[in-house]
Amino acid sequence: MQPPLTRHAQVRMQQRAIRAEALEGLLEFGREAFDHRGHAVILYFDKKARRRLEHAEPGIKDVNHLARCYAVLSREGAVLTVGHRYRKIRRG
């Protein structure tokens, strides 16, 4: 079951051409990182998550495009926004 999307997240998915399948993949296989402010969780694909996705969905198209996607979730679990990564996610 997909968590609720805020209106902002819906608009960003449309503007940034991020399909619902990419969000589902993030929710199922993505790695979690905290935002260092205590407000949200960032989901993204690292190498291990990408391999799990490729193994679980062998016929998936454009894995590199999916691998650059990220999602920001609130502490309650609602998707706040989504986007494409251009820099590494800070984990430490």
Side-chain angles (χ1 to χ4, degrees):
M1 182 174 148
Q2 189 170 336
L5 294 173
T6 62
R7 178 74 182 133
H8 178 78
Q10 292 171 354
V11 170
R12 291 296 181 249
M13 284 180 73
Q14 184 176 14
Q15 288 175 338
R16 297 172 177 165
I18 297 175
R19 299 184 314 256
E21 295 82 25
L23 182 57
E24 290 172 13
L26 273 170
L27 294 169
E28 188 171 344
F29 300 106
R31 181 179 175 120
E32 289 185 358
F34 295 98
D35 71 342
H36 301 289
R37 294 183 200 133
H39 301 292
V41 175
I42 303 167
L43 291 176
Y44 66 99
F45 288 109
D46 62 355
K47 287 181 184 179
K48 286 182 180 181
R50 194 176 318 151
R51 279 196 298 262
R52 287 192 308 264
L53 175 66
E54 289 172 344
H55 184 66
E57 305 280 339
I60 197 160
K61 294 180 185 176
D62 206 8
V63 173
N64 292 327
H65 176 73
L66 289 176
R68 290 192 317 260
C69 294
Y70 71 90
V72 179
L73 278 64
S74 68
R75 285 189 281 182
E76 293 79 27
V79 179
L80 300 174
T81 191
V82 296
H84 299 283
R85 276 191 308 131
Y86 296 100
R87 292 184 280 162
K88 288 186 174 186
I89 302 285
R90 219 178 56 152
R91 294 185 305 168

